[in-house]
Amino acid sequence: MNVRRAFARGARSARLVGVIAFGLAQMASPRAEAQTFSFHPPGDLVPGSGEGRVDDVVYVPGMLFPIDGRAYSNSQVYGNGGLYGPGGGQCDEVNFSYPWRDNYCEKRSWDMPLCPAGIGHQGQDIRAETCTKDLHWAVASVDGTITSIGSYSVYLTSADGTRHDYLHMDSVQVAVGQKVKRGDKVGRVSNNFGGTATTVHLHFNLRQNVAGLGLVYVPPYTSLVASYALDKAAPPPRGTLEVADCDWLGGWALDPETPDSAVSVELRIDGAEATQEQRVTAARPREDLCETLGSCDHAFEAATPLSLHDGAPHELRADIVDPMNGERHELLESPATLTCGPIVPRGVRRPLDSAARKAWKLSRFWDGLPADASDLAVGDALPAEPSAFVDPSDPSRLWIVDGERRRELPASRALAWHLEVSSLSTADAATLTLPVGLPLRERPMLTEVSGASFLIDDTEEKPSVVATTTGGGATSETASCTVGGARSLTPAALVGLAGVLALARARRSRPRSR
Amino acid sequence: MRSRLFIALLGLAACESRTPSLEEAPPPDPQAAAEAAPVEFAATPPREAPPKVAPTDVRTPEWPAERDEFARSRLTDAARVEVDRSPLPALVVAETKLLASTVVTTGPHWYSATSRDGGLTTTLHGTRLAHQHAHIPPASGRSAVRGQPAFVTENEGIVSAAWVEGGVAYALDVECRDRDDARCHGEGFVVGLASRLVFVGGHGGAR
């Protein structure tokens, strides 16, 4: 049955038809396989669950679908795991699959003037993308005002007085009287039911003043179908912030509309606007993403900005900025709160001019030490640009030429130095004959004194390296807290340590199951 | 046996499993009418005109003659300011405990007042804008509220009464934190509460 025929059945008009017909097969999720959105016609309830209202009118045209991500409209009572369902559990896969099913006017005993039986269910039950409670966001379907928050309800009223009711949420983000915009977070889909748990779902009502009746619950199903089709046909960019600690950030991000292109993830700190440098590109290949997303190159990772290492808590929010319209789409698991111990600078500060700073890709956000380093002695200038090579006998080891020396850097820390291992060439014989200097620190540390830029580095006389911490305590830059690169470590130990670091990072960046 | 118990528990936990209506409802008949095939979206959609917004009609409210100054004085300053912006007669639940917690919000054509007292949340919503849906015939509710026919319904344990008074459509919802709270069972409490609503002001109202 095609869309036109389906709606012609009850049709006073084919209002819904014009806005709903297209595929969702490209809508990617790391969990679910691509499915094509389909739905039973309005009023077609689960057989035996009552008489539905055959009504194709979209009562709230142009609204936004009230749940972020995929969703599944179907009955909680007559579906799997429901009191009158066929058995199974609420988390059964069938409840999280298409086609959708209307359950407005499903059997109940209270007055419902728009239901054929005069009684019935007032709204629509909607499950989010997964069965996990308190994870998926319910969002404002229209611009409006929050007019009530009860024990398990939130009412959003639009300018024309239509009320949009959200039930059973947790983590409510709004307050009574608050003005919200379409897409603002309202709460998380959950099972809150006044002290008694229900299944994990959003119960969504539309209440409108209908001439000749008064304030009644109007059918929400058609408005939901239309909005879902519109919203999800062009599914928004999405992803997950999987790792966020004081050492490393990582995750994945994708714009399903352009799955072969990389997207940028913008990092905002403490709600401040982000600058251009506060972006990382989600273009790194990751094997586990290939199957689930349909293409592999959507991971991102970066050393946690050094500017956060001041001992204070910081909220780090990660958004994909839609290149089409500039809209931000927050990653799942974002925001994260980080409290990273301050770092006491040690060593020398090596001058670098603006050209060198650009060549080394050093930035105040990523590499800037939030501490005064003016007391440090000034060393020799940093090379004008990085000369980095892969060790021909051990690809996990890089060599960075620094004047007359070559300095070692584990390949696992290349990203922290803004180096792409895949773009580096192998060290030639001349490089390998250079004397070995101190290993490079795990990450660069930029400081500014009187407007001039310096890289804080170790000296041959007094080696020290940075150690990152996750606590609030200060990190003293001495050899005693070396994580990598101290002179006392043998090359073999360094390789082993690099392996451990790489393994640890790989484990942290494994996608979380949902 | 354990799996049956688990299924039964899940069923009990399901959405409206504790509503009287469901307990009265018979289980679905497996021999019920054959299912219609679901609608699947075509890859190339027909593009027709987007759905139209239903025409609306903004009613002119009839304003009550007198304000209840005692109830008005029990509102917070912020609530009184908002009441005076109401484009329609602002009614509030007259219970003293609820008055102090009342938060009022208004829109171009609507007014809302919500109050909380312990486990009880009340929300009064009123609007003067009516949507004209030509395919919906007029009807009157079986109950009576403030001398007007009213629809009383229960939405996920939230009992709601809706009526039209002085050209304005009102609905009063009562929601209980404890699902066993008698105030959220049956229409007695909500109808009684509605009967005690008092007029406290509004833009264009009498002083």
Side-chain angles (χ1 to χ4, degrees):
Chain A
M1 180 183 296
N2 67 27
V3 178
R4 290 171 191 274
R5 282 170 51 201
F7 284 92
R9 289 192 340 166
R12 269 160 291 275
S13 66
R15 292 169 190 157
L16 186 58
V17 175
V19 291
I20 54 174
F22 31 75
L24 289 179
Q26 296 304 311
M27 187 175 168
S29 155
R31 174 189 170 274
E33 290 178 11
Q35 301 176 45
T36 300
F37 176 43
S38 61
F39 60 96
H40 290 278
D44 191 3
L45 309 188
V46 171
S49 70
E51 187 179 355
R53 179 182 173 88
V54 179
D55 186 344
D56 71 318
V57 171
V58 178
Y59 285 84
V60 182
M63 79 175 199
L64 185 71
F65 189 75
I67 295 179
D68 196 24
R70 283 174 186 265
Y72 304 94
S73 295
N74 51 49
S75 173
Q76 305 296 299
V77 173
Y78 290 89
N80 276 30
L83 182 62
Y84 293 127
Q90 64 161 315
C91 296
D92 287 358
E93 197 170 328
V94 68
N95 287 341
F96 297 86
S97 63
Y98 305 125
W100 279 14
R101 178 79 82 168
D102 191 358
N103 81 323
Y104 176 82
C105 291
E106 193 174 79
K107 281 180 183 171
R108 303 291 189 275
S109 66
W110 292 82
D111 276 359
M112 277 290 289
L114 297 188
C115 292
I119 53 177
H121 188 232
Q122 292 85 353
Q124 179 66 42
D125 296 334
I126 315 169
R127 301 178 206 260
E129 184 164 334
T130 71
C131 198
T132 306
K133 73 171 190 174
D134 205 10
L135 173 66
H136 302 284
W137 289 108
V139 296
S141 41
V142 286
D143 293 355
T145 306
I146 302 300
T147 49
S148 174
I149 298 177
S151 300
Y152 53 92
S153 68
V154 173
Y155 299 161
L156 163 62
T157 303
S158 60
D160 72 355
T162 301
R163 218 176 67 187
H164 299 229
D165 299 351
Y166 295 71
L167 272 58
H168 310 311
M169 295 184 300
D170 277 316
S171 303
V172 170
Q173 302 290 300
V174 291
V176 176
Q178 183 179 334
K179 309 280 188 194
V180 295
K181 292 283 187 190
R182 274 166 58 100
D184 284 354
K185 290 170 182 167
V186 177
R188 282 183 159 130
V189 177
S190 196
N191 62 349
N192 179 12
F193 199 1
T196 309
T198 177
T199 52
V200 179
H201 75 285
L202 178 73
H203 174 106
F204 184 75
N205 299 322
L206 292 174
R207 202 169 194 190
Q208 205 168 64
N209 180 17
V210 174
L213 288 176
L215 277 161
V216 292
Y217 296 97
V218 294
Y221 187 69
T222 48
S223 302
L224 291 166
V225 169
S227 62
Y228 190 76
L230 278 175
D231 298 343
K232 313 305 178 190
R238 58 209 334 245
T240 303
L241 179 63
E242 295 171 324
V243 182
D245 58 34
C246 290
D247 183 31
W248 213 251
L249 306 175
W252 63 272
L254 166 75
D255 184 347
E257 280 198 283
T258 54
D260 295 328
S261 303
V263 297
S264 291
V265 174
E266 182 181 87
L267 303 172
R268 285 200 286 167
I269 308 299
D270 300 329
E273 285 298 311
T275 62
Q276 195 65 27
E277 69 181 17
Q278 289 177 227
R279 292 186 175 190
V280 289
T281 303
R284 306 189 69 75
R286 218 173 76 188
E287 203 170 304
D288 62 300
L289 298 179
C290 303
E291 189 179 345
T292 51
L293 296 182
S295 57
C296 314
D297 301 341
H298 300 291
F300 65 89
E301 52 182 336
T304 301
L306 201 61
S307 54
L308 301 184
H309 283 261
D310 58 3
H314 293 286
E315 184 195 73
L316 182 146
R317 180 182 154 137
D319 296 307
I320 305 168
V321 180
D322 191 333
M324 300 297 289
N325 54 23
E327 286 182 0
R328 288 194 178 94
H329 302 270
E330 187 169 12
L331 301 190
L332 280 175
E333 305 291 340
S334 166
T337 299
L338 301 180
T339 304
C340 302
I343 296 170
V344 179
R346 296 277 191 276
V348 296
R349 50 188 169 100
R350 303 178 66 186
L352 69 166
D353 59 24
S354 59
R357 181 169 160 166
K358 190 174 178 182
W360 284 86
K361 299 178 183 172
L362 300 177
S363 78
R364 189 178 293 168
F365 175 70
W366 291 103
D367 312 301
L369 182 69
D372 180 15
S374 58
D375 287 346
L376 298 186
V378 177
D380 60 334
L382 197 68
E385 59 184 13
S387 299
F389 305 95
V390 179
D391 188 303
S393 61
D394 180 1
S396 71
R397 181 163 59 174
L398 308 180
W399 293 107
I400 284 73
V401 177
D402 185 0
E404 300 302 315
R405 298 166 293 170
R406 58 186 166 115
R407 302 179 65 182
E408 185 177 336
L409 178 70
S412 60
R413 298 304 298 187
L415 265 184
W417 278 87
H418 314 298
L419 298 169
E420 280 293 342
V421 174
S422 60
S423 65
L424 301 181
S425 54
T426 304
D428 58 16
T431 301
L432 294 172
T433 58
L434 291 173
V436 177
L438 287 175
L440 279 182
R441 295 182 175 199
E442 282 198 325
R443 59 179 305 166
M445 295 174 64
L446 182 69
T447 189
E448 292 175 2
V449 177
S450 302
S453 299
F454 299 88
L455 183 85
I456 299 176
D457 202 357
D458 298 320
T459 62
E460 292 294 331
E461 293 75 28
K462 188 179 180 184
S464 62
V465 293
V466 178
T468 55
T469 70
T470 55
T475 301
S476 178
E477 279 193 278
T478 65
S480 62
C481 61
T482 295
V483 168
R487 180 186 276 176
S488 57
L489 293 177
T490 64
L494 281 167
V495 171
L497 184 57
V500 170
L501 286 170
L503 179 61
R505 201 168 62 250
R507 292 182 66 174
R508 281 200 305 268
S509 59
R510 190 177 299 157
R512 295 172 189 173
S513 59
R514 299 239 172 263
Chain B
M1 182 65 189
R2 288 179 67 184
S3 63
R4 284 188 178 180
L5 179 62
F6 178 66
I7 291 167
L9 286 172
L10 278 176
L12 283 171
C15 187
E16 289 87 355
S17 61
R18 301 185 62 186
T19 62
S21 54
L22 269 175
E23 285 160 11
E24 293 161 11
D29 176 5
Q31 300 303 318
E35 287 186 55
V39 179
E40 201 162 282
F41 286 133
T44 308
R47 304 301 296 186
E48 295 181 358
K52 292 176 182 170
V53 178
T56 56
D57 176 19
V58 178
R59 309 287 165 87
T60 304
E62 296 167 18
W63 291 87
E66 275 185 51
R67 281 192 326 209
D68 186 319
E69 296 298 341
F70 176 78
R72 183 179 165 86
S73 71
R74 297 293 171 135
L75 295 170
T76 63
D77 290 346
R80 269 194 301 276
V81 166
E82 205 62 29
V83 157
D84 290 339
R85 290 185 181 139
S86 172
L88 48 93
L91 306 179
V92 294
V93 175
E95 266 71 357
T96 306
K97 278 185 180 174
L98 293 171
L99 281 170
S101 68
T102 298
V103 179
V104 177
T105 46
T106 57
H109 304 294
W110 56 266
Y111 160 86
S112 183
T114 184
S115 313
R116 287 189 94 158
D117 177 30
L120 180 73
T121 305
T122 67
T123 303
L124 179 72
H125 182 61
T127 176
R128 64 179 183 177
L129 185 147
H131 294 258
Q132 309 279 352
H133 294 297
H135 63 291
I136 299 179
S140 295
R142 295 180 294 181
S143 303
V145 169
R146 299 168 65 83
Q148 307 294 332
F151 295 104
V152 179
T153 193
E154 183 185 316
N155 169 45
E156 306 278 303
I158 301 167
V159 184
S160 182
W163 70 99
V164 177
E165 178 178 340
V168 173
Y170 290 100
L172 178 63
D173 294 359
V174 294
E175 176 179 344
C176 299
R177 184 172 55 209
D178 178 0
R179 299 276 338 274
D180 294 327
D181 191 324
R183 294 175 292 186
C184 290
H185 290 276
E187 68 173 58
F189 181 75
V190 71
V191 170
L193 204 61
S195 70
R196 298 192 296 278
L197 291 170
V198 294
F199 168 61
V200 290
H203 185 67
R207 289 195 176 270

